[in-house]
Amino acid sequence: NEEDVWVETVWAGTLAVYTDPDIQRLCLSLQDDDGLCVPSLFCLGFAAAAGMIGAPDHAARLIKGEAPRRKEIDQLRVGRRAARPRPCDPPERHQAYEALKRQELAAERALMDSLSRSFHREAAGDGCPLAVETTVLAILAPTSGTLAGRLRLLLSAITRNT
């Protein structure tokens, strides 16, 4: 169905954007230094580019509704980072770490699927792409020019892949 196609489009687009090492570093910085939820940022960027966001407060409400999933991802990330093996650790430790990475990725995918479906269901209707940067920055309201600039870099990468 159309909603499933949209969910897969967002996921595939996210993976395509994330293959760039500069984008990976940027995402980790947005996540670790600024406390932003990168999966939500990707969903928001793709939804804005597809014209699925009406009022910024509505999109912000959808994102806030995913807080429990974001908390779960944060907890998984903390656990994974604490379990990071050293090269000299036994293979079992490396395998356990890889299992934690897969679990974290699955939780991120579940969050993105849920949020993408929400945006699709509540689409503004006309499907006209919005000014992605303006829309997303209005929703996130970054408090510094540096953060806004870093967000613009990510949003630019997303819009190049839509």
Side-chain angles (χ1 to χ4, degrees):
N1 78 29
E2 191 176 304
E3 187 175 283
D4 291 337
V5 170
W6 168 247
V7 168
E8 289 304 315
T9 298
V10 171
W11 182 250
T14 298
L15 294 178
V17 171
Y18 201 78
T19 60
D20 180 334
D22 291 334
I23 294 296
Q24 291 174 14
R25 284 188 290 279
L26 175 63
C27 288
L28 289 173
S29 172
L30 290 168
Q31 170 186 287
D32 295 342
D33 300 338
D34 301 299
L36 295 176
C37 177
V38 172
S40 295
L41 290 175
F42 275 105
C43 288
L44 191 56
F46 280 105
M52 293 187 175
I53 296 177
D57 62 330
H58 176 71
R61 193 172 66 253
L62 290 176
I63 290 171
K64 284 181 185 173
E66 294 293 341
R69 288 182 195 265
R70 287 194 315 273
K71 184 175 180 180
E72 174 192 356
I73 291 167
D74 290 345
Q75 291 169 342
L76 288 168
R77 186 173 298 119
V78 167
R80 176 185 54 80
R81 287 179 174 172
R84 184 179 309 241
R86 296 169 302 182
C88 61
D89 284 338
E92 297 80 20
R93 176 110 190 230
H94 289 271
Q95 291 166 352
Y97 178 76
E98 291 302 317
L100 289 171
K101 280 175 47 176
R102 286 190 300 275
Q103 188 178 9
E104 183 182 343
L105 183 63
E108 289 176 336
R109 172 81 192 251
L111 172 110
M112 290 186 73
D113 286 0
S114 176
L115 195 52
S116 295
R117 288 182 191 286
S118 293
F119 279 127
H120 188 271
R121 276 187 227 113
E122 313 246 348
D126 62 9
C128 295
L130 302 174
V132 175
E133 182 180 304
T134 304
T135 302
V136 174
L137 293 178
I139 293 165
L140 297 175
T143 55
S144 76
T146 304
L147 174 56
R150 292 184 11 253
L151 285 168
R152 283 184 184 98
L153 290 173
L154 178 60
L155 296 171
S156 175
I158 290 170
T159 54
R160 282 193 308 269
N161 282 278
T162 56

